[in-house]
Amino acid sequence: MLATKFKPGWTLSILTFFALIILLGLGTWQARKIGPKSELVSRIETGLSGESVSLPVHLDAPVSEQYKRFSFQGEVLDAEPAKVFAPNTKGKSGYHLYLPVRHQFGRWVMVNWGWVPFDNKELPDLRQGRTVQVSGVLLTNPQAGSFTPENQPEKNAWYLADIFQLFDHFKLDEFYHFRIVADHQSALGKLPIGGQVRIDIPNDHFEYMLTWYGLALGLLGVYVAFGMRRAQTHD
């Protein structure tokens, strides 16, 4: 009889049962994330490849407009840009130049003009005080990581492009609560290098799902094999 050939024991059976529940639960959790993450990646790719639209006077829900392309005309603030230390899209060390532009309708926009390497001795001309046409990708305020150093505005040493801190540094109010990563502008020369939009959204939930389900299947196989071997040794 099958019952006499399979004797894993109650303790092992209970432990295996709960372990399977955990592993199958983790696999199902990852499976449910596949669809939403794929939709997010698709939405980002669609936004980045779309044409620029005029930046409206009011944008009440910038989160829903993230990674979409906008353009506007405005006057560049006549000030020294903030240098936010961060690598470029190719991983090279340097800093991004942030300087606000007053939208033609009056409100300020924080613009990332592009990336400059550390060894660049002079800041490039960003047309301070002049009217320019800006086009680029909308991004919301970034979140600091666990190891992100504190910004030091008094030293113009920035490690996070916090919009609110930046506008406070420039002593400006009436601003949009997002930033625009400007496209590269050849009229400014080789530097700064614009278009520095980093897309780092891993979509590996399918692999994780297979891992957890595979572990569950492996555990079940070990459980059955142990139970059959144990039954043979007790016969």
Side-chain angles (χ1 to χ4, degrees):
M1 299 293 291
L2 181 61
T4 62
K5 296 182 180 180
F6 184 68
K7 296 180 179 179
W10 282 107
T11 301
L12 180 62
S13 296
I14 293 173
L15 292 175
T16 302
F17 174 75
F18 283 108
L20 284 173
I21 289 178
I22 294 173
L23 292 173
L24 292 174
L26 290 171
T28 302
W29 177 57
Q30 292 293 338
R32 290 176 177 174
K33 285 190 170 185
I34 295 175
K37 184 60 70 66
S38 298
E39 292 177 3
L40 174 61
V41 173
S42 177
R43 180 171 63 83
I44 291 174
E45 292 176 347
T46 300
L48 292 176
S49 61
E51 295 184 1
S52 295
V53 298
S54 296
L55 185 65
V57 179
H58 299 288
L59 197 61
D60 297 327
V63 173
S64 63
E65 305 297 327
Q66 187 163 218
Y67 293 108
K68 292 183 179 180
R69 302 183 58 79
F70 290 90
S71 62
F72 67 98
Q73 188 179 70
E75 182 180 331
V76 185
L77 179 68
D78 190 3
E80 180 181 346
K83 299 187 293 186
V84 180
F85 296 94
N88 63 3
T89 54
K90 296 181 180 180
K92 295 183 178 180
S93 298
Y95 49 84
H96 297 252
L97 299 180
Y98 277 81
L99 190 63
V101 178
R102 187 195 292 271
H103 191 287
Q104 57 185 329
F105 298 120
R107 189 174 296 185
W108 290 96
V109 183
M110 185 58 64
V111 176
N112 176 346
W113 289 84
W115 176 87
V116 174
F118 279 131
D119 57 5
N120 191 69
K121 299 185 181 301
E122 295 184 4
L123 291 177
D125 177 20
L126 299 182
R127 299 183 179 180
Q128 283 92 330
R130 285 171 281 180
T131 300
V132 298
Q133 184 73 27
V134 179
S135 64
V137 177
L138 185 150
L139 294 180
T140 55
N141 207 32
Q143 298 296 319
S146 302
F147 302 101
T148 303
E150 291 289 335
N151 289 328
Q152 299 177 11
E154 67 282 357
K155 298 181 180 180
N156 198 13
W158 302 79
Y159 304 95
L160 184 71
D162 186 292
I163 299 167
F164 301 97
Q165 283 188 331
L166 285 168
F167 275 117
D168 183 66
H169 168 70
F170 288 114
K171 296 179 172 54
L172 299 174
D173 53 14
E174 295 297 324
F175 54 86
Y176 288 99
H177 293 182
F178 55 80
R179 53 199 166 122
I180 295 291
V181 180
D183 300 329
H184 181 69
Q185 300 187 43
S186 56
L188 297 179
K190 294 182 178 180
L191 296 175
I193 301 175
Q196 297 297 303
V197 180
R198 296 175 62 90
I199 307 299
D200 187 16
I201 303 179
N203 190 16
D204 45 14
H205 297 295
F206 182 75
E207 289 80 3
Y208 286 136
M209 178 194 71
L210 293 180
T211 299
W212 292 120
Y213 284 158
L215 289 173
L217 184 61
L219 175 62
L220 186 60
V222 171
Y223 169 71
V224 172
F226 178 83
M228 294 176 66
R229 180 175 296 180
R230 185 171 182 273
Q232 291 176 358
T233 59
H234 284 73
D235 284 345

